[in-house]
Amino acid sequence: MMKKIAFNCVIGSLMIVLLLAGCSNGESASSEGDGQEYTIKFAHVVSPSTAKGKAAEKFGELIEKRTDGQIKVEVYPDSQLGSDREIIEQMQSGTVQMNAPFTGVLPTFVKEFEVFDLPFLFENRDHAFKATNGKLGDILGKKLESQGMHLLGFWDGGFKHLTNSIHPIETPKDMNQLKMRVSQSPLLISQFQAVHAGGVSIDFSELYTALQTGTVDGQENPLSNIVSKKFYEVQDYLTLSSHGYMAYPLVISSKFYQKLPEELQAAVDEVSKEVTEWQWEESKRDEEAYLKKLNKTDIQINELSPEQKAAFKDAMSSVYNEFNKLDGSKELLNAVDQ
């Protein structure tokens, strides 16, 4: 009888030990996320040589290192997976996890992003950084969540300038009847209509051919895209107008982000902030190099004076009247200056 009792005690003790071990393993798996590996497909439309292209690669390198390989990143540059709009749609369907799209395509998904299509919105690069990575970015980040995108920061695209193949542009009258390429944003089309130019919507990946064949006379882009895509080969005139600003919101699929264990979410946030600061500095350095390169090409360059910029700003003021019809426009414009 005593032997039976002792045997039962031993069995009971073993069961308790096994049960405790099982609980311990479950807690460890939960805190460590089972050591599961995650793959991020990061797609974008610009050249790997641009500040955005280099930052995408840097993000991949740092996040893999910071997470000991738990998060791996595959970067697809140069519109390999489609246009910005197509990439966003792929993010929503779950086949792509990250992008840093041009804000001009985002009003289709979040109307409030039209604020970036206003001419002469930011005074300089510092102003743009404080607004996009501050109050303005906070407002727009909440709007992106409704479209399945989680905002990690804003990257710098630089100020936009005008190129064309007809004549130098120095006054608003010089824009008359020019066929200018724009993205899908209605306000960008209105911007050119305000100076009596035609706005033609063409995907970025098709722009070089459109300029080469004369489908459009000109376009607007920062120096990074003008140089990396070699638009200077098919355009005769460059006007340093700084009339608009190009921002790149760094976004990750909300569904994918929420599935990550907390420690991996923290790593994504930390690396995104670090790379964002690096990208802005890299963009500034690159722009100086781009201008030097353009000065060695055959494209004729002129820079608008403060007085000439004021004339363009006045000519394009009707775009602000159109934007003010949007609900929440006042809050967005106030956030620009906070």
Side-chain angles (χ1 to χ4, degrees):
M1 181 71 177
M2 293 296 294
K3 289 182 179 180
K4 187 174 182 181
I5 293 173
F7 177 78
N8 287 338
C9 287
V10 170
I11 293 298
S13 298
L14 286 172
M15 290 180 66
I16 291 172
V17 170
L18 290 172
L19 181 60
L20 289 173
C23 290
S24 174
N25 287 340
E27 290 172 1
S28 175
S30 175
S31 63
E32 296 297 328
D34 286 332
Q36 182 178 343
E37 292 186 357
Y38 300 85
T39 299
I40 292 175
K41 286 186 177 180
F42 190 152
H44 62 81
V45 302
V46 301
S47 168
S49 66
T50 63
K52 180 167 96 170
K54 288 181 282 188
E57 295 288 349
K58 190 174 185 67
F59 174 85
E61 293 169 5
L62 288 182
I63 198 66
E64 287 186 31
K65 183 178 180 181
R66 206 69 54 88
T67 63
D68 293 324
Q70 266 194 274
I71 297 180
K72 299 186 184 305
V73 179
E74 299 173 356
V75 180
Y76 297 87
D78 265 336
S79 304
Q80 288 181 23
L81 298 187
S83 66
D84 263 333
R85 178 170 180 169
E86 290 168 336
I87 293 169
I88 292 170
E89 290 170 348
Q90 290 171 65
M91 287 181 67
Q92 293 176 324
S93 68
T95 56
V96 170
Q97 288 71 44
M98 284 188 72
N99 185 15
F102 162 45
T103 49
V105 305
L106 283 169
T108 301
F109 304 91
V110 176
K111 188 73 172 173
E112 288 80 357
F113 268 88
E114 283 190 352
V115 69
F116 286 101
D117 300 331
L118 293 170
F120 302 99
L121 181 66
F122 300 115
E123 295 176 8
N124 50 47
R125 182 178 265 103
D126 288 341
H127 183 195
F129 180 83
K130 289 176 182 177
T132 56
N133 290 282
K135 181 66 174 178
L136 181 62
D138 291 340
I139 295 172
L140 294 173
K142 292 175 183 177
K143 301 292 182 181
L144 282 170
E145 290 288 350
S146 66
Q147 294 297 313
M149 290 175 278
H150 178 73
L151 182 66
L152 295 170
F154 273 88
W155 287 357
D156 177 42
F159 283 90
K160 294 187 289 184
H161 307 288
L162 300 167
T163 70
N164 82 100
S165 57
I166 305 300
H167 54 232
I169 296 172
E170 297 179 343
T171 70
K173 289 183 179 180
D174 294 329
M175 299 292 297
N176 189 41
Q177 300 301 312
L178 289 182
K179 294 179 294 182
M180 301 295 291
R181 177 266 178 182
V182 296
S183 68
Q184 298 96 323
S185 173
L187 283 191
L188 290 180
I189 294 174
S190 297
Q191 169 189 265
F192 286 119
Q193 289 176 338
V195 289
H196 307 290
V200 183
S201 182
I202 295 173
D203 279 344
F204 183 67
S205 60
E206 301 170 2
L207 181 51
Y208 183 97
T209 301
L211 295 170
Q212 186 179 42
T213 58
T215 302
V216 288
D217 300 317
Q219 57 88 47
E220 58 168 7
N221 254 299
L223 298 184
S224 59
N225 289 340
I226 292 171
V227 172
S228 65
K229 294 302 180 182
K230 299 183 178 181
F231 295 153
Y232 56 83
E233 294 180 342
V234 289
Q235 297 277 267
D236 297 318
Y237 306 97
L238 165 63
T239 301
L240 299 176
S241 54
S242 299
H243 65 281
Y245 179 75
M246 181 177 286
Y248 298 127
L250 178 64
V251 289
I252 187 170
S253 160
S254 297
K255 189 174 182 180
F256 176 85
Y257 180 80
Q258 294 301 329
K259 283 185 177 180
L260 293 175
E262 288 185 6
E263 66 273 18
L264 295 186
Q265 286 184 4
V268 168
D269 294 342
E270 179 183 296
V271 170
S272 296
K273 183 178 180 181
E274 185 177 329
V275 174
T276 292
E277 293 174 355
W278 178 91
Q279 192 273 342
W280 278 77
E281 289 300 320
E282 186 70 6
S283 178
K284 183 179 180 180
R285 286 190 293 268
D286 282 355
E287 185 144 319
E288 295 171 358
Y290 291 140
L291 191 53
K292 288 181 181 178
K293 182 168 184 175
L294 285 166
N295 277 315
K296 296 178 181 178
T297 70
D298 292 331
I299 196 167
Q300 181 179 320
I301 303 173
N302 67 286
E303 183 172 6
L304 296 184
S305 67
E307 293 76 20
Q308 288 172 324
K309 286 183 180 180
F312 271 92
K313 186 174 182 178
D314 182 62
M316 294 176 172
S317 61
S318 60
V319 181
Y320 279 81
N321 297 332
E322 185 175 339
F323 177 74
N324 287 334
K325 298 175 184 177
L326 176 70
D327 288 341
S329 60
K330 186 176 180 180
E331 181 187 20
L332 290 168
L333 289 176
N334 287 339
V336 167
D337 294 319
Q338 288 184 6

